[in-house]
Amino acid sequence: MSVLTERINQIIKPENLVYAKTPLLNDDAMHYCPGCSHGVVHRLIAEVIEEMGIQEQTIGVSPVGCAVFAYNYIDIDWAEAAHGRAPAVATGIKRVMPEKYVFSYQGDGDLAAIGTAETLHAINRGENIVMIFINNAIYGMTGGQMAPTTLIGQITATTPFGRNADLNGYPLKITELIAQLPGAAYVTRQSVQTPAAVRKAKKAIRKAFEIQAKKIGTAFVEVVSTCSSGWKLTPVASNKWMEDNMFPQYPLGDLKDSGRADADLYRIKG
Amino acid sequence: MAKVRGAVVVDTEVCKGCNLCVVACPTLTLALNRNVNNKGYHYSYMENPENCTGCTNCSTVCPDSCITVYRTKTVH
C-alpha cells in the first residue's frame, strides 16, 4: 500500500465526515439521465425536510413527467396526480390536513402546459402549499418535444427548424405571471448548475417550506434546469447552454416576497 | 502551519459519469476514470488526491448524491 493511499485512509474516518447523502434519500439509483437537474433538486428537498425535521409531516405530490418516480427516491409520503393536476391534488390534501407540509413537484410540460389552469387558480386562491417547478424548456420524458417554455429558435423534436414565433408562439414566462397573483406569497427563480447556485436554491426551498408553516400563501420555486438528453448536449455543455440562452429569458432571483395580498384591497366598496 | 486536507469517496456503481463534479472541483482533484462501472459509465475518482481540500463542491452539484466528503486539519 502506497503512502498516498495510507494518507487518504487516515482522512476517511467518521469523525472527519463533512458531507454524506441524507438518509431521507433512498439507496435506489435514480433513473434520470447523467447530469439531470432533477437529482440535485430531489436531494435539496430531502435535505431541507431533514433539516426542518418534518419527514413525518410532509406529503409530496409528484407529476407526470420524468419526476413521476420521485416517490422511489425521497422517503416521505407521496401522492401521484394526473397530468398537470398536482396543485389541485395538493390543495385537497392541504385542506383536509392543514397541519401537514404539502408540496407539488412539477415540470414545465406539467405545470405550464396541461396544468396551467390548476396552477394559476391554486395560487390565486392562495393555497398554503409549496410548488417546485422544474423548467428545462422541453418535454424531457416523451422525447424532447416543444413545450410552452421552449425558447424562440430552439430545436426540439417537434420544431426541427427551431421554434418559430409566427407558428408556435412565444415562450411562456409563467413565473412572471404567477408573481402578479395576489395569492402568491413567495415567487423565486433559481438554478442548480454551480455549487453556489445549488446553495442558493436550497435556501429558497427552505424559505418556501417555512412560508408554508406561516400560512401566508403559496410559495413557488422555479428551478431553471437542463435536459441534456432532450437538448442533445453533454451535461457540462447543457449547463453552458442554459447560462447562455435560458438565463437571459428566465433571469434568476426573487420575483415576489411579500406574503399573500391583503383581502381589503380587493373588497367591494360601499 | 495547519493545512486542510480532504478526501472524497465516490459510490462508483451509482455514479453516471456526468462530469459535473470534475468541472466543479476547484483544485483539479477529480477526473473521470478510464475504467467503467457495471452500467458502463466512466465513474468519477480522485486523480490527484493530494489536492483535495474537502470543500464539498463536488457533492453539492452531484445529481446522484454518490459523493461523500471527509475533511481534517493536519499540523505540519
Side-chain angles (χ1 to χ4, degrees):
Chain A
M1 191 178 283
S2 70
V3 182
L4 199 58
T5 323
E6 216 168 85
R7 205 184 287 163
I8 292 170
N9 285 337
Q10 279 175 0
I11 300 173
I12 299 174
K13 285 176 186 165
E15 64 265 28
N16 293 337
L17 183 73
V18 285
Y19 183 87
K21 189 168 94 165
T22 159
L24 240 72
L25 282 176
N26 294 332
D27 286 334
D28 308 349
M30 292 193 185
H31 72 282
Y32 302 119
C33 307
C36 180
S37 308
H38 273 308
V40 183
V41 182
H42 280 22
R43 176 161 52 77
L44 295 184
I45 293 171
E47 285 177 359
V48 165
I49 290 172
E50 195 209 355
E51 284 170 16
M52 293 177 71
I54 53 171
Q55 181 183 6
E56 297 300 322
Q57 293 110 51
T58 309
I59 301 170
V61 183
S62 61
V64 172
C66 285
V68 67
F69 295 123
Y71 52 77
N72 281 339
Y73 307 130
I74 308 180
D75 190 12
I76 54 171
D77 289 336
W78 285 92
E80 169 62 44
H83 204 351
R85 274 66 186 172
V89 174
T91 299
I93 294 172
K94 183 72 183 177
R95 288 196 172 198
V96 174
M97 291 181 280
E99 74 283 2
K100 301 278 187 190
Y101 289 84
V102 182
F103 74 93
S104 74
Y105 184 103
Q106 301 174 267
D108 52 333
D110 194 73
L111 184 142
I114 196 161
T116 313
E118 282 76 8
T119 303
L120 292 179
H121 285 291
I123 296 170
N124 200 36
R125 290 194 303 268
E127 300 293 343
N128 294 308
I129 57 174
V130 173
M131 297 174 71
I132 313 280
F133 169 39
I134 308 296
N135 178 6
N136 56 13
I138 210 165
Y139 275 87
M141 186 196 218
T142 48
Q145 288 85 0
M146 188 191 80
T149 45
T150 298
L151 306 176
I152 300 290
Q154 186 179 344
I155 290 166
T156 68
T158 43
T159 55
F161 305 108
R163 181 172 185 169
N164 179 352
D166 296 335
L167 192 63
N168 311 115
Y170 296 91
L172 179 58
K173 294 189 168 188
I174 193 151
T175 307
E176 272 84 349
L177 281 176
I178 285 165
Q180 310 301 317
L181 300 177
Y186 177 54
V187 181
T188 184
R189 185 184 278 128
Q190 302 292 334
S191 71
V192 290
Q193 88 284 21
T194 62
V198 173
R199 293 187 180 111
K200 275 176 85 177
K202 185 177 172 183
K203 276 186 194 151
I205 292 173
R206 166 123 197 182
K207 186 171 176 182
F209 275 89
E210 286 168 355
I211 279 173
Q212 178 169 173
K214 291 184 201 156
K215 297 192 176 5
I216 53 168
T218 310
F220 186 91
V221 181
E222 171 178 351
V223 183
V224 183
S225 306
T226 61
C227 180
S228 42
S229 297
W231 296 352
K232 315 273 188 278
L233 296 168
T234 65
V236 176
S238 299
N239 279 343
K240 180 84 174 56
W241 193 91
M242 176 174 75
E243 287 174 3
D244 292 346
N245 299 290
M246 297 274 283
F247 287 179
Q249 294 286 329
Y250 301 109
L252 305 184
D254 289 0
L255 284 89
K256 185 180 182 186
D257 185 10
S258 59
R260 191 166 48 203
D262 190 353
D264 285 338
L265 291 173
Y266 296 86
R267 205 178 293 282
I268 50 167
K269 305 282 188 295
Chain B
M1 184 189 141
K3 198 178 174 193
V4 180
R5 311 277 323 189
V8 304
V9 179
V10 180
D11 187 343
T12 52
E13 285 310 314
V14 176
C15 179
K16 292 176 187 156
C18 68
N19 210 24
L20 293 183
C21 56
V22 179
V23 175
C25 180
T27 58
L28 306 176
T29 302
L30 293 168
L32 293 188
N33 205 309
R34 290 185 60 194
N35 301 324
V36 294
N37 61 16
N38 283 345
K39 283 188 252 173
Y41 293 121
H42 292 277
Y43 53 88
S44 170
Y45 80 116
M46 285 204 291
E47 193 185 45
N48 305 307
E50 66 277 10
N51 288 358
C52 184
T53 58
C55 69
T56 71
N57 272 7
C58 50
S59 59
T60 307
V61 295
C62 178
D64 294 288
S65 310
C66 61
I67 301 181
T68 310
V69 185
Y70 297 87
R71 189 195 302 147
T72 184
K73 270 186 183 171
T74 52
V75 182
H76 292 288

